[in-house]
Amino acid sequence: MIYINSQPRDLTPINEGVIFEVESDEVADFTIDIVDAITEKVVGTKVIKGVQYAKVDIAPYIENMVSVAPSWAENCQLKDIDAASYYISVATEDDSAVSEPIMVSCNRGAVVINDIYSEQAAERTIGYGECDDICFVSLPNATIVAKVTSSTGQQRSIELHSKTGISQLHISTTEFTRGAEWLNVELFVDDNLEQSMRYTIVPRYGGAVRVVWLSEGGMPERFTLPATLSKSRVVERKSLFTNKIKGEMVSCKSLNRIVLRSQLLTESEADFLSTILCSPRVWLELADGVVEAKLLETEMVTSSFGSLVSAEFTFEYGGKEVLL
């Protein structure tokens, strides 16, 4: 007989391993298929020879199957985050067994049911015209209602029947009157208030840039850097080859660079911003649109008070290459 002794829980972080424990009554060759529970398509197969017990990590086979991205919508939205469901089928020469399906998503850390999945505090600041994304975790098939209320009395209510249990609430300040001083966000699950947040709306100064990135937790995070210190265009010329007919072939690559500075930060805010350093993707919300960027360098400057710091970030974006 073959037994599947244990399997991962739903929304197990893929980067920590998605491990099944398999056992047989006797030594055998195990053939393990990793199967997409929706399409019934085999996405990977692993063979383990001459064993009675094995731990099977399917993470390497599924880690690139789901993705998440920030929203740029101009209205408030609530939608399910991309998720996938898999099970394993284990077979020997004499027997076989099938696990229960497990669901995985983009989270890179443990989740808590009916909680906000974010590395920022529930009390936040935001400029008028800016937006934010909030990841919320519930049980699958729960009914989620997000209520957003402004200081001017406007209210926006959005409902979602979440199939996966992991959802993304997009907050857009432009859906409310410009004179609003704050926004309250309440999240209800099956008519029960589970979480609340408050956004204080602050002035947005010229030169401010909102930075968006995928955090260590795997979800979009946003923060506004209020000061642009410099903007420049860098041109890199590189000789590729020379021949007698066309002469020298030169690659000319132009890049935009921007240096941004934060306000004075508390220790927790500085720690949060430092997660940009290891982010796989970063975007900048510039005056002429959103661009994907690359972080080149970071500098933390301690204030004269000794406890607060400001951060300077140098980003590069918009590379174009021309052959001359």
Side-chain angles (χ1 to χ4, degrees):
M1 291 286 291
I2 295 178
Y3 308 93
I4 298 176
N5 290 339
S6 69
Q7 65 178 61
R9 66 189 185 281
D10 284 344
L11 299 180
T12 292
I14 294 179
N15 55 305
E16 295 179 4
V18 184
I19 300 171
F20 294 78
E21 294 188 12
V22 181
E23 188 173 5
S24 174
D25 287 336
E26 56 187 29
V27 174
D29 296 342
F30 292 175
T31 300
I32 300 115
D33 287 333
I34 299 97
V35 185
D36 186 310
I38 305 300
T39 65
E40 295 296 331
K41 179 181 178 181
V42 176
V43 298
T45 299
K46 186 172 185 176
V47 177
I48 306 175
K49 292 185 173 292
V51 296
Q52 193 171 350
Y53 168 84
K55 285 187 174 182
V56 183
D57 184 5
I58 70 170
Y61 300 88
I62 65 173
E63 60 183 347
N64 296 318
M65 299 296 188
V66 289
S67 61
V68 66
S71 172
W72 314 108
E74 295 182 358
N75 61 308
C76 297
Q77 297 179 348
L78 181 60
K79 63 181 181 180
D80 275 332
I81 287 175
D82 190 20
S85 183
Y86 300 94
Y87 66 86
I88 65 167
S89 173
V90 186
T92 65
E93 186 176 339
D94 301 318
D95 197 13
S96 64
V98 176
S99 75
E100 293 294 323
I102 61 109
M103 185 174 63
V104 294
S105 189
C106 310
N107 56 298
R108 311 290 288 183
V111 299
V112 178
I113 299 300
N114 292 341
D115 200 2
I116 293 167
Y117 182 77
S118 175
E119 296 175 29
Q120 287 195 72
E123 296 280 337
R124 305 183 182 186
T125 59
I126 194 169
Y128 189 81
E130 296 177 344
C131 55
D132 201 20
D133 291 312
I134 304 164
C135 173
F136 182 72
V137 182
S138 67
L139 292 173
N141 299 310
T143 298
I144 304 168
V145 176
K147 292 183 179 179
V148 186
T149 306
S150 76
S151 61
T152 57
Q154 291 176 281
Q155 187 175 88
R156 179 81 161 88
S157 182
I158 318 168
E159 182 174 315
L160 171 71
H161 180 72
S162 178
K163 295 180 180 179
T164 64
I166 185 164
S167 57
Q168 183 180 27
L169 173 62
H170 179 70
I171 301 293
S172 177
T173 56
T174 54
E175 199 164 346
F176 301 91
T177 304
R178 179 177 287 275
E181 297 178 353
W182 48 258
L183 298 176
N184 276 346
V185 180
E186 295 177 311
L187 289 163
F188 296 81
V189 178
D190 298 330
D191 296 326
N192 296 314
L193 176 61
E194 296 294 344
Q195 295 293 329
S196 60
M197 301 176 61
R198 185 180 180 92
Y199 287 90
T200 300
I201 300 177
V202 298
R204 180 181 169 91
Y205 299 102
V209 175
R210 193 140 172 94
V211 184
V212 190
W213 70 100
L214 297 182
S215 70
E216 292 177 336
M219 297 297 170
E221 300 280 9
R222 301 176 189 248
F223 195 89
T224 299
L225 299 174
T228 297
L229 299 187
S230 67
K231 294 178 72 174
S232 60
R233 181 180 291 271
V234 179
V235 178
E236 298 176 355
R237 296 175 63 92
K238 182 179 179 181
S239 177
L240 299 179
F241 60 85
T242 303
N243 60 37
K244 295 181 180 179
I245 300 175
K246 294 185 177 181
E248 184 180 24
M249 180 67 72
V250 176
S251 166
C252 186
K253 188 175 182 180
S254 63
L255 298 160
N256 296 305
R257 285 184 183 168
I258 187 169
V259 182
L260 305 173
R261 177 183 287 170
S262 73
Q263 71 275 34
L264 289 177
L265 304 169
T266 63
E267 184 176 349
S268 61
E269 288 174 329
D271 288 343
F272 168 67
L273 270 183
S274 69
T275 62
I276 300 176
L277 297 173
C278 54
S279 175
R281 299 188 71 182
V282 179
W283 298 264
L284 303 177
E285 296 183 20
L286 302 175
D288 54 351
V290 177
V291 296
E292 190 158 2
K294 177 183 177 182
L295 178 63
L296 295 184
E297 59 183 45
T298 307
E299 182 180 0
M300 294 288 183
V301 181
T302 304
S303 72
S304 57
F305 302 104
S307 58
L308 300 176
V309 299
S310 62
E312 291 184 11
F313 297 91
T314 302
F315 295 99
E316 187 176 83
Y317 64 94
K320 294 181 180 180
E321 186 174 11
V322 178
L323 299 179
L324 304 174

